[in-house]
Amino acid sequence: MQYTDPPGMPEDERMNPAEFKVVREFLGLTGDWLAHHLEVSPRTVRHWEAGKYAIPDGVRLAIEDLEARTGEYVSQLIEKLLDLPEPGVITYRDDAEYHAAHPESGWPASWHRAVVARVAQEVPGLAMAFPDQAAAHAAAASCRGQAAQPRPATRGRKR
């Protein structure tokens, strides 16, 4: 996909390489996943992070959309978990394990782990477990379904 700036895009409104990388990592996204999502090459993402290429405004908008969707999911999950006497979540070691449990999700497992880390900051005593540990951590099994997961906005392709 081609990303272009609106005419007269001021440089001081452009996302800089540090912001781009910090937000990508805060969301738990790999450069490869983000490249696929944005329909650019992994090399382009590396160049944006290195400051070799200016980050187009359309990319900033796409990143802001991912941030908003993630924030909504975090908020929903916190709200659901705060109502439980022994809150817990199941998280996933890798993409294969995550997509086996959530085949509808286009997000990577690293995103889910980043979400769980953010939730853990707000939910006292949150129990976390991997799926094969859930029996040993009954509290974690109480929230297996969790909140409805957001879908990353796609650009004409099913992920």
Side-chain angles (χ1 to χ4, degrees):
M1 167 164 270
Q2 290 279 38
Y3 289 96
T4 58
D5 291 334
M9 172 75 184
E11 282 299 315
D12 64 344
E13 291 182 17
R14 186 179 299 284
M15 179 177 248
N16 71 45
E19 292 168 330
F20 181 81
K21 184 169 184 162
V22 167
V23 172
R24 177 185 62 76
E25 290 178 347
F26 179 69
L27 292 173
L29 303 175
T30 65
D32 287 347
W33 185 92
L34 188 57
H36 180 75
H37 177 74
L38 296 172
E39 298 179 0
V40 299
S41 73
R43 184 177 181 188
T44 298
V45 169
R46 288 192 303 273
H47 286 169
W48 287 334
E49 289 183 352
K52 186 172 182 176
Y53 300 147
I55 300 163
D57 195 52
V59 170
R60 178 188 59 81
L61 295 173
I63 296 292
E64 287 175 357
D65 179 64
L66 293 172
E67 284 182 288
R69 291 169 183 271
T70 299
E72 289 170 16
Y73 181 63
V74 168
S75 295
Q76 290 171 3
L77 191 51
I78 289 169
E79 185 177 325
K80 182 175 180 177
L81 290 167
L82 286 175
D83 290 339
L84 298 175
E86 295 183 38
V89 294
I90 292 175
T91 195
Y92 306 90
R93 291 179 180 89
D94 55 42
D95 289 346
E97 188 175 65
Y98 180 55
H99 292 126
H102 300 281
E104 76 290 350
S105 178
W107 299 94
S110 58
W111 170 84
H112 189 266
R113 291 188 303 272
V115 163
V116 170
R118 288 171 62 178
V119 169
Q121 292 179 319
E122 303 297 325
V123 179
L126 180 67
M128 294 175 242
F130 291 127
D132 60 343
Q133 299 169 324
H137 298 279
S142 69
C143 197
R144 181 160 170 61
Q146 301 171 358
Q149 295 192 14
R151 291 182 172 246
T154 58
R155 296 185 173 38
R157 286 196 286 194
K158 184 170 173 94
R159 304 221 189 271

